[in-house]
Structures are given as structure tokens and as C-alpha cells.
Amino acid sequence: MITFESFEYDVLVIGAGGAGLRAAIEASAAGVKVGLICKSLLGKAHTVMAEGGVAAALANVDDRDSWKVHFADTMRGGQYVNNWRMAELHAKEAPDRVRELEAWGAVFDRTKDGRILQRNFGGHRYPRLAHVGDRTGLELIRTLQDQGVHRGLDVHMEFTIVSLLSADGRVNGVVGYERERGRFKVFNATAVVLATGGAGRAYKITSNSWEGTGDGHALAYRAGAELMDMEFIQFHPTGMIWPPSVQGILVTEGVRGEGGILLNREGRRFMFDDIPEPYRNQTADNEEEGWRYTQGDKNARRPPELLTRDHVARCIMREVKAGRGSPHGGVFLDIAWIKKKLSGAEAHIKRKLPSMYHQFKELGDIDITKEPMEVGPTTHYIMGGIRVDSDTQMSSIAGLFAAGECAAGINGANRLGGNSLSDLLVFGKRAGEHAAVFARGNRRGTIDGAAVQRAAEEALAPFDRQGRTENPYTIQTELQDMMQSLVGIVRTEAEMQQALGELAKLAERAGRAGVTGHREYNPGWHTAIDLRNLLTVSEAIARSAIERKESRGGHFREDFPDKIAEYATFNIVTRRKPDGSMEVRRVPLPPLPPELKQIIEEQKA
Ligand SMILES: Cc1cc2nc3c(=O)[nH]c(=O)nc-3n(C[C@H](O)[C@H](O)[C@H](O)COP(=O)(O)OP(=O)(O)OC[C@H]3O[C@@H](n4cnc5c(N)ncnc54)[C@H](O)[C@@H]3O)c2cc1C
């Protein structure tokens, strides 16, 4: 019999990134008892790594900006399979969420007249990203954490949730263990908010931290909730590629926003070669105009380096495949060239991009104020996630909410840079608010002791396995290699079918994953637990990608290279069937209201 310490909360938030912290603050402000759980130390969630900024139509730098333009940009970036209501709420509410952050003490970079400064980013028509150099996530987390701690949240850090408990279609708690000591705890909660972030660790080359193992996606799926848009993975065009030890680490789009250009090995700006039709009117057709745009000329159009991430990543792959790549299989990103245009360029680069300067200096011995960087695509963000109600963020399980990267809807087929941090604030707040309403309106459910025991026994199973066991690290590495090569940037039916076969074999081996030692400080054990989640998420990605027989946003099929109109009419949703297998179905998108359709049409000009 495994022993447990027990806790009770009205609202329990799993995850202390931007979404979780914002949800916890809001629930706590509503006067209910709130608990907050995170795998790492408070303040270390993946959000802390966010660099470029938070998108909000404050119109501080260009007064032509408005929620309508932001909404239209988000829908176009997502190639119109976004949940339009979420895109609308996000565009309307992001400015207030950013001002609120400022009121809570966030120190943003400033315009000359003292307002929050905004920078250019891919796919955003006007300068829209409020930022703090290239360390925006750190400031966001610091500010939210400060607010949260002063509200008296109960925090359980370095703690991993392994199971959601539910009965009769309603959530009633969670089970997890202390990562340091291995002791189990059970939490009885009226409402649970999942804010567990992304799943980039399913791939070999990724910008994501070790926490991005899709836990929330998998926990919700196993409890019976639906996942949506899992085929849409964002491969960010600019990750570090050399030396091998730093492969995948992000190079912020802020570099291109500040005037950085992409060059092939011939020194040519290849991004001018292919400008997609929907963006042609808004994209510069010469280098001079592109430069003027980055310097705030309102009559200039954006340079093609600031097209959406899916497109830029594919252009880079095209150059590499054609033999025009850089020595280590990427292309060159050059910000040093701006010294031809700006006096004091070196100091300017260091001031606007301090982390990038240090990152390349320390990790690659490259001085970005003097020489170009070598970059290539890296797995960055998952647009897919838990299917939620647009206004309340509640999933198909009553009392179970989701917000941030683990939830789906706002981004459609491709996320615009900066729209994640604003998503965390807007929908984190909404999730916290509605979870508190749910908690006030419902009694706490009763926890089934047998289910709690089962959850802990499953988590401990790797210790009990005897005989020829498998090493969880080996399986994880093989999974990441396999996803990278068979369900990566360029996909085909045959390769993805092969991936399903490989996933079945890996799942079977994961069932034999064994660990030695005991529960205290045992990273092998943590890996064996993560593996279950990574396998579930990977299967959902592969099955959804097979179902979408077209190319759209982050999902590119070599065997179906074009967009097909019919595929813009539904989302792909996966759910666990009673027999444990994965169901994949097409769910029609709700019709776009005429007034929003009109906004989109107006902004196409
Ligand atoms: C390098 C980098 C730079 C980026 N820059 C930007 C940017 O400039 N602008 C922008 O908009 N977006 C950016 N993004 C994307 C953005 O940072 C993320 O999408 C966002 O921070 C995710 O926030 P979140 O709150 O959903 O989750 P996270 O910040 O990932 O937090 C997840 C939380 O859940 C916890 N957790 C996970 N699983 C469990 C479990 N089983 N039990 C308990 N706790 C668990 C974790 O410990 C953590 O506290 C960037 C991403 C990267 C990788």
C-alpha cells in the first residue's frame, strides 16, 4: 500500500509558466483557495525563455494598429483554421493584459515619449511586440510571480503530476510525486487548470526546455478530453545549428525584426525569391524598402524575412536542399550588416539583443555585431492541444480547464511570434476566472482511493520490472530521432505510416522500461514517466498529420503540397476510445460571423 499526503483546493493549477501563474492570480482574486504545482522551481518555467516580446495592439509605435488588424493578422497567419472567437478575444484583450502587467511592475522598453515600445515581428502588420530587450519572458514571469506570491498562493514546486482523477465526466483531483524525494501526494480539487506548456521534446532538434514533454496534453487525453490540431507543429526558422551541443537553441525573430537578413552561401537574400500571394501586397520587393520598414518608415512594407515562420522555415530548407546552405546545414542570419546603415550599430545590437549577443559569444564563439550567425529550423511550438471552450477555457471534461501552449484554438495552422505570451495572459486570466466560478458553483467530488493507488503503482512500475528491461533514455532518444525524420518539417503518407509502426514498437518497449536505485533524485525514473506522455502526444501528431492530406501552416506534405479549400472547413480532433485506441475525427469549424469576415477582407488590401 502506497502512502499519500492529501490536500484540498477549490482551484488547482498545474503549471507555473505565464498561463498557470496568470490563471492562479485570477482564481485567487476571486477569493477561492488556490494551489499551484510545477515540475521545476517557481520562476524556472519554460516561459522564462521567451525572448522577442508579447503581441498586443497598443498602437504606441504605429497608430494604424488596432485589435482588428491584430485579429486579421492572427487568422491569416493561422491560415483560417483558428478558432475565430479565441482570435477575437485575444486581439481585443491583449492590450489590457499588457497594461495590467505594466501596472504590476513590469519594466518594458520605452518609446521616446515614455510609452511601452513595440517591435516588428513576422506576420504582424505593424510593430506590435512589447518587449524587454530580448528577455521578455523573464520579466513576464518575474512580474506574475511577484503578484502571485503576494496573493498567498500555495505552491508545490519540483512536483510532477502523473494522473488526473475524474468520475462521471467531472474532474475531481490529481495524483503526483515530489521529484526530489519521490513521495506521493493526492490533491482533491473542484476545478483543475492545466497550463503545462508544449511538447517540443518529442523531437530531436528543439528550442524547448526539458519540461516540454506534453504532460498536460497526455493527462487530459488519458482522462477522456479531446486534443485538436495536433498536426500543426511550428518549426521556428532560426535555431542555432553549430556547435552540435547547442543545436536547436532559439535565435529570436527579434533579430530579423531589428533588421537581420537571411543569406545563402552565395551571399544572396533568398527570401525575395518566394513571396506567397496573400502577403505580396504587404511585402517589400527591394532591400532598401525592407530596411526602411525595420527603422519605422510607415510607408515601407515589411522585408520578406518577416514573413510567417512556416514559410521562412521552408525557404531555408529549400536553400539547404539545393546545396546553397551554410557549412553546417543551415543558412546565414546577418545583423552585423546594419553597420553599413547605422552609426553605433555594435552598441545598438548589444542593447536590443543582449541575450543573442551573449548566446553566440559564449556558446559559439561568434560575435554577432561583426559576423553572421549560422541558423536552421528548430521544433519550437505546438499549435495543437486540449480542445477548450473559447470563452471559458473549459475542456470537454467538466471542471477541467486548459490555457497557454497546452490548449488549442487561437493559432490555427501557425502561430505568429509574440502571440503566445499574449495568449498566456488573456486565456490564463479567463481560465482562472471561470475555474473559480466553477469551483464556487459545484461541490468538490469524492476521490476514489483505488484509482489513486493505481496511478501511483503505474508510476512506480519501472522499479518493479525484472529481467531484460529497456533503458528509458534510449527509448526517448530513438523516439525523438524517429519523429524528427518521419513526422518532421516535410511529411509523406508512407513515412508517417512507418512512424505509427515505430511508435507501436517504442510503446511496447516503454512498457518494459526499467530503472534502478530508489525514488530519491532519480532522473531515469522521471524519464520513464515522461516517455508515456511523449508517446501519446507523438501518436496524436502522426495520426492527425496523416488525416490532413494537404499542406497548411506548420504542416507540410510533400505528397499534397497545396492547400485544399475543403480542409479549411474543419479541425482534426483526437480522443481516446474505450478500448484505449486513438480516434481521429474531423470537426467542422463554426461559421465566421459576417462582421469578422468583413474585417479580414478589409485587411487583405
Ligand atoms: C526560446 C523560446 C523563446 C520564445 N519566445 C517567445 C516570445 O518572444 N514571444 C512569445 O509570444 N512566445 C515565445 N515563445 C513561446 C512561449 O514562450 C511559450 O509558448 C510559452 O511560454 C508557454 O507558456 P505556458 O504557460 O503555456 O507553459 P510553460 O511556460 O511551458 O510552463 C509549463 C509549466 O507546467 C509545468 N508542468 C509541466 N508538466 C507538468 C506536470 N506533469 N506536473 C506538474 N507541472 C508540470 C512546468 O513545470 C511549468 O511550470 C518562446 C519559446 C521558446 C522556446
Side-chain angles (χ1 to χ4, degrees):
M1 183 89 168
I2 302 155
T3 55
F4 292 87
E5 203 179 341
S6 309
F7 298 83
E8 288 192 346
Y9 292 105
D10 298 319
V11 174
L12 184 64
V13 181
I14 319 292
L21 280 166
R22 189 63 192 82
I25 290 168
E26 200 61 23
S28 171
V32 299
K33 187 177 177 201
V34 180
L36 179 66
I37 299 179
C38 50
K39 256 171 145 175
S40 52
L41 289 168
L42 190 64
K44 295 275 184 184
H46 181 79
T47 298
V48 84
M49 293 162 73
E51 294 166 354
V54 44
L58 297 160
N60 286 353
V61 172
D62 194 319
D63 57 14
R64 291 172 297 180
D65 205 8
S66 69
W67 78 263
K68 290 180 181 176
V69 190
H70 193 182
F71 165 75
D73 285 351
T74 301
M75 293 296 291
R76 179 171 32 195
Q79 306 204 354
Y80 304 109
V81 290
N82 322 50
N83 177 315
W84 56 259
R85 174 69 178 152
M86 285 174 83
E88 179 192 12
L89 290 170
H90 169 254
K92 283 182 172 165
E93 295 176 9
D96 280 348
R97 296 289 75 78
V98 170
R99 285 188 206 104
E100 175 179 75
L101 215 56
E102 183 187 33
W104 289 348
V107 186
F108 288 102
D109 284 9
R110 298 276 149 189
T111 59
K112 287 201 175 79
D113 61 354
R115 290 179 297 165
I116 296 175
L117 182 61
Q118 298 184 272
R119 68 159 43 122
N120 291 309
F121 239 58
H124 292 282
R125 185 160 192 169
Y126 302 120
R128 191 175 283 146
L129 266 70
H131 58 278
V132 186
D134 54 5
R135 295 179 183 139
T136 313
L138 175 64
E139 188 64 4
L140 188 137
I141 283 282
R142 188 195 64 74
T143 309
L144 292 177
Q145 194 174 308
D146 199 35
Q147 270 291 311
V149 167
H150 285 95
R151 286 198 176 277
L153 303 173
D154 248 5
V155 184
H156 303 260
M157 317 185 211
E158 299 196 293
F159 194 91
T160 298
I161 297 304
V162 293
S163 184
L164 280 177
L165 303 167
S166 61
D168 306 322
R170 234 197 85 179
V171 74
N172 53 36
V174 301
V175 178
Y177 70 96
E178 286 173 356
R179 295 176 71 85
E180 279 192 359
R181 301 275 169 203
R183 287 182 295 226
F184 282 86
K185 293 180 181 173
V186 60
F187 297 82
N188 189 192
T190 319
V192 173
V193 179
L194 289 171
T196 49
R201 287 278 154 181
Y203 287 83
K204 179 181 167 192
I205 302 172
T206 179
S207 63
N208 286 194
S209 78
W210 63 271
E211 293 185 295
T213 46
D215 293 13
H217 294 74
L219 288 166
Y221 172 84
R222 282 201 292 273
E226 294 170 318
L227 302 181
M228 187 172 89
D229 292 341
M230 294 297 283
E231 69 277 29
F232 296 128
I233 304 287
Q234 180 164 84
F235 298 96
H236 192 293
T238 59
M240 289 180 85
I241 57 169
W242 192 257
S245 57
V246 302
Q247 201 176 25
I249 294 180
L250 192 76
V251 183
T252 175
E253 198 165 311
V255 177
R256 284 170 282 142
E258 297 296 338
I261 56 175
L262 290 166
L263 303 167
N264 64 16
R265 75 181 317 148
E266 297 158 0
R268 198 161 54 78
R269 265 180 93 172
F270 57 88
M271 286 305 300
F272 279 103
D273 297 351
D274 177 9
I275 298 171
E277 200 46 50
Y279 287 96
R280 194 172 293 281
N281 291 343
Q282 295 175 14
T283 307
D285 55 15
N286 64 80
E287 298 189 5
E288 187 55 33
E289 183 183 8
W291 166 251
R292 283 193 282 110
Y293 176 93
T294 63
Q295 299 311 297
D297 181 343
K298 290 185 181 169
N299 296 316
R301 294 169 298 174
R302 69 161 78 89
E305 278 86 358
L306 289 178
L307 285 163
T308 53
R309 291 174 174 178
D310 52 335
H311 178 74
V312 180
R314 277 195 295 277
C315 288
I316 292 176
M317 294 297 286
R318 184 194 61 213
E319 292 305 300
V320 175
K321 262 193 174 169
R324 296 188 292 266
S326 63
H328 300 104
V331 294
F332 296 105
L333 171 62
D334 190 7
I335 182 77
W337 83 281
I338 67 169
K339 57 179 169 270
K340 289 187 199 154
K341 299 276 185 187
L342 277 184
S343 61
E346 290 191 11
H348 177 79
I349 294 168
K350 284 184 192 164
R351 192 174 67 252
K352 297 306 286 184
L353 301 162
S355 300
M356 288 305 104
Y357 175 76
H358 283 288
Q359 184 172 308
F360 275 89
K361 197 85 189 106
E362 298 300 321
L363 303 177
D365 197 21
I366 298 277
D367 180 347
I368 68 167
T369 67
K370 296 191 167 63
E371 52 195 321
M373 305 156 240
E374 257 192 279
V375 295
T378 180
T379 313
H380 185 57
Y381 184 89
I382 182 159
M383 275 68 79
I386 300 156
R387 187 171 178 225
V388 290
D389 174 73
S390 49
D391 288 55
T392 64
Q393 298 291 110
M394 190 156 87
S395 71
S396 54
I397 299 178
L400 181 65
F401 297 76
E405 193 170 340
C406 73
I410 183 200
N411 298 299
N414 175 52
R415 175 181 71 93
L416 298 185
N419 269 3
S420 173
L421 294 188
S422 39
D423 163 15
L424 311 181
L425 298 173
V426 168
F427 294 107
K429 176 184 187 293
R430 282 183 165 267
E433 180 185 331
H434 290 282
V437 170
F438 185 91
R440 282 195 188 285
N442 290 276
R443 284 231 192 116
R444 202 164 296 147
T446 311
I447 286 201
D448 170 10
V452 175
Q453 283 293 326
R454 265 199 312 278
E457 279 163 16
E458 268 180 42
L460 290 171
F463 287 108
D464 301 332
R465 295 189 180 122
Q466 306 290 328
R468 273 190 53 216
T469 55
E470 290 271 357
N471 180 334
Y473 289 109
T474 310
I475 305 172
Q476 192 192 60
T477 308
E478 287 180 28
L479 171 69
Q480 291 164 335
D481 284 343
M482 187 280 290
M483 287 298 286
Q484 189 77 35
S485 60
L486 300 182
V487 201
I489 303 181
V490 177
R491 302 166 172 177
T492 64
E493 177 86 21
E495 286 185 346
M496 291 191 290
Q497 292 293 354
Q498 189 190 338
L500 289 181
E502 297 298 326
L503 279 168
K505 286 186 220 157
L506 288 165
E508 192 269 323
R509 286 170 58 196
R512 285 184 276 118
V515 292
T516 54
H518 50 77
R519 292 194 222 169
E520 294 194 2
Y521 303 102
N522 194 329
W525 181 36
H526 305 323
T527 303
I529 286 172
D530 292 345
L531 201 48
R532 238 182 2 155
N533 302 327
L534 284 173
L535 283 162
T536 302
V537 169
S538 300
E539 184 180 348
I541 294 170
R543 289 197 188 278
S544 305
I546 289 171
E547 182 68 12
R548 188 168 284 280
K549 297 185 195 322
E550 64 151 1
S551 293
R552 186 179 294 272
H555 169 70
F556 184 78
R557 297 269 311 239
E558 202 167 31
D559 43 357
F560 298 98
D562 299 318
K563 262 206 293 272
I564 298 173
E566 183 208 341
Y567 281 82
T569 61
F570 56 82
N571 295 112
I572 293 170
V573 169
T574 52
R575 188 171 53 182
R576 191 170 192 265
K577 288 200 273 194
D579 67 1
S581 63
M582 192 174 279
E583 175 190 87
V584 182
R585 63 197 177 100
R586 300 174 173 191
V587 175
L589 277 154
L592 190 65
E595 64 278 13
L596 293 182
K597 203 172 190 169
Q598 195 186 336
I599 292 172
I600 290 173
E601 290 306 318
E602 282 166 7
Q603 295 302 325
K604 277 185 180 163

